[in-house]
Amino acid sequence: MINNFLIINFIGQDDKLGLRINKDFFIHVIKKEDNMSETLVSKILKFLLKHKVKLNQNFSVIVNQGPGSYSGVRIALSVAKGLEISNKVKLFGFRNTDLKQFDLENIEQLLNKKLIEKKLIKPIYLS
């Protein structure tokens, strides 16, 4: 079961980060002007530091695999893979169409219905 996680929704529209620690859930909206590859990593790190998150093998990262913009999906996957390698977190992916709304209730439904994929990241790009 996935308890504590960071969810990255960075596909070029309505970009957000979500964080569940213990039973608390926090959302950070990524503004369009901030939506650049150089700022995603620093935004994630500030978001995790703000909520005093310890990344380890008991923590999970869930990343949106698309469909979405090519750059956004690739950047999100790269950052998530970097977190997996450097901190030994568990990595999962989901399809944008499986998450109706970015809130804890819908994310938990995504997890309960097993609509996430472990270790197999298959990005879907918009043409």
Side-chain angles (χ1 to χ4, degrees), residues 63-103:
V63 62
N64 191 335
Q65 300 175 117
S69 78
Y70 179 81
S71 297
V73 172
R74 295 304 298 168
I75 291 164
L77 290 172
S78 298
V79 170
K81 189 66 176 172
L83 290 170
E84 178 191 35
I85 292 168
S86 63
N87 296 292
K88 303 202 182 339
V89 300
K90 297 173 197 149
L91 180 60
F92 299 92
F94 71 96
R95 293 177 184 260
N96 189 46
T97 54
D98 292 334
L99 186 61
K100 293 176 180 36
Q101 190 173 348
F102 196 88
D103 60 24

Side-chain angles (χ1 to χ4, degrees), residues 24-86:
D24 296 324
F25 185 68
F26 308 97
I27 294 177
H28 176 75
V29 176
I30 302 173
K31 298 175 189 160
K32 284 292 182 193
E33 62 268 11
D34 295 336
N35 199 359
M36 299 173 61
S37 61
E38 299 89 30
T39 62
L40 182 61
V41 173
S42 64
K43 291 204 174 295
I44 289 173
L45 292 176
K46 286 178 186 175
F47 190 48
L48 295 173
L49 285 172
K50 178 181 176 181
H51 297 289
K52 298 179 176 98
V53 174
K54 301 265 189 214
L55 297 177
N56 58 36
Q57 66 274 8
N58 297 322
F59 192 82
S60 299
V61 174
I62 306 166
V63 62
N64 191 335
Q65 300 175 117
S69 78
Y70 179 81
S71 297
V73 172
R74 295 304 298 168
I75 291 164
L77 290 172
S78 298
V79 170
K81 189 66 176 172
L83 290 170
E84 178 191 35
I85 292 168
S86 63

